């Protein structure tokens, strides 16, 4: 329980254009004690990231208006110092080495393949948030 109290202060931005995926992630993250905010497209993701400065971003790659790679580059090149260092986890159906390499080159910290294994997700979040 003490571990969850610490997580209560951590906010995760979940970005996906499929609401059922967001709903599943929000449910599981809140159950683990995280605060969750959400966005459904890349432009909104950038705006929310720069305004709210979440502790971590779960970011789908294939998004309307602005894809996840472009959104990451904008966040990383932002003049907001606190936003530049937000850990970003790519969520994508693509699991090829080339896709993983591209997400890392864009400035993402980790790459999770859909469907997301919740235990792997939580483990990844804990690892990134403890750095």
């Amino acid at each position: 329980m003490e571990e969850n109290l610490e997580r209560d202060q951590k906010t995760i931005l979940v970005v996906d254009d499929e609401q059922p995926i967001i709903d599943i992630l929000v449910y599981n993250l809140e159950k683990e004690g995280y605060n969750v905010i959400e966005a459904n497209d890349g432009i909104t993701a950038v705006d929310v990231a720069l305004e709210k400065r979440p502790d971590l971003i779960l970011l789908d790659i294939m998004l309307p208006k602005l894809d996840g790679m472009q959104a990451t580059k904008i966040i990383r090149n932002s003049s907001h110092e606190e936003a530049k260092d937000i850990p970003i986890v790519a969520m994508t159906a693509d699991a090829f080495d080339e896709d993983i390499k591209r997400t890392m080159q864009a400035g993402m910290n980790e790459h999770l393949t859909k469907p997301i294994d919740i235990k792997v997700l939580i483990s990844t979040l804990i690892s990134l948030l403890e750095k």
Side-chain angles (χ1 to χ4, degrees):
M1 184 65 175
E2 190 175 309
E3 190 174 334
N4 278 351
L5 290 176
E6 190 174 306
R7 291 185 197 162
D8 284 343
Q9 296 160 9
K10 301 292 184 186
T11 299
I12 310 293
L13 170 58
V14 175
V15 186
D16 201 297
D17 59 330
E18 296 181 49
Q19 193 60 45
I21 291 173
I22 288 178
D23 293 342
I24 291 167
L25 292 171
V26 168
Y27 171 80
N28 283 286
L29 292 171
E30 287 179 344
K31 192 169 86 171
E32 289 292 321
Y34 294 104
N35 295 317
V36 183
I37 49 180
E38 54 188 79
N40 298 99
D41 64 72
I43 291 174
T44 304
V46 170
D47 291 343
V48 171
L50 296 180
E51 180 184 328
K52 305 263 185 192
R53 295 187 185 96
D55 296 293
L56 187 137
I57 302 170
L58 289 176
L59 183 61
D60 187 22
I61 299 300
M62 302 290 286
L63 292 169
K65 299 185 184 177
L66 187 70
D67 72 33
M69 302 284 201
Q70 294 168 312
T72 298
K73 288 176 184 175
I74 291 170
I75 293 166
R76 292 292 184 234
N77 292 318
S78 161
S79 62
H80 298 283
E81 288 302 317
E82 302 90 5
K84 285 182 175 183
D85 297 325
I86 298 171
I88 301 175
V89 178
M91 298 186 299
T92 179
D94 300 325
F96 300 108
D97 287 341
E98 184 64 29
D99 297 312
I100 295 169
K101 182 178 175 182
R102 285 182 37 236
T103 59
M104 298 304 157
Q105 288 173 337
M108 296 180 175
N109 300 81
E110 290 290 338
H111 183 282
L112 296 177
T113 305
K114 291 180 180 178
I116 304 292
D117 179 311
I118 297 301
K119 289 179 182 176
V120 171
L121 171 64
I122 299 303
S123 171
T124 300
L125 297 185
I126 290 169
S127 171
L128 289 170
L129 290 170
E130 288 180 354
K131 287 184 179 179

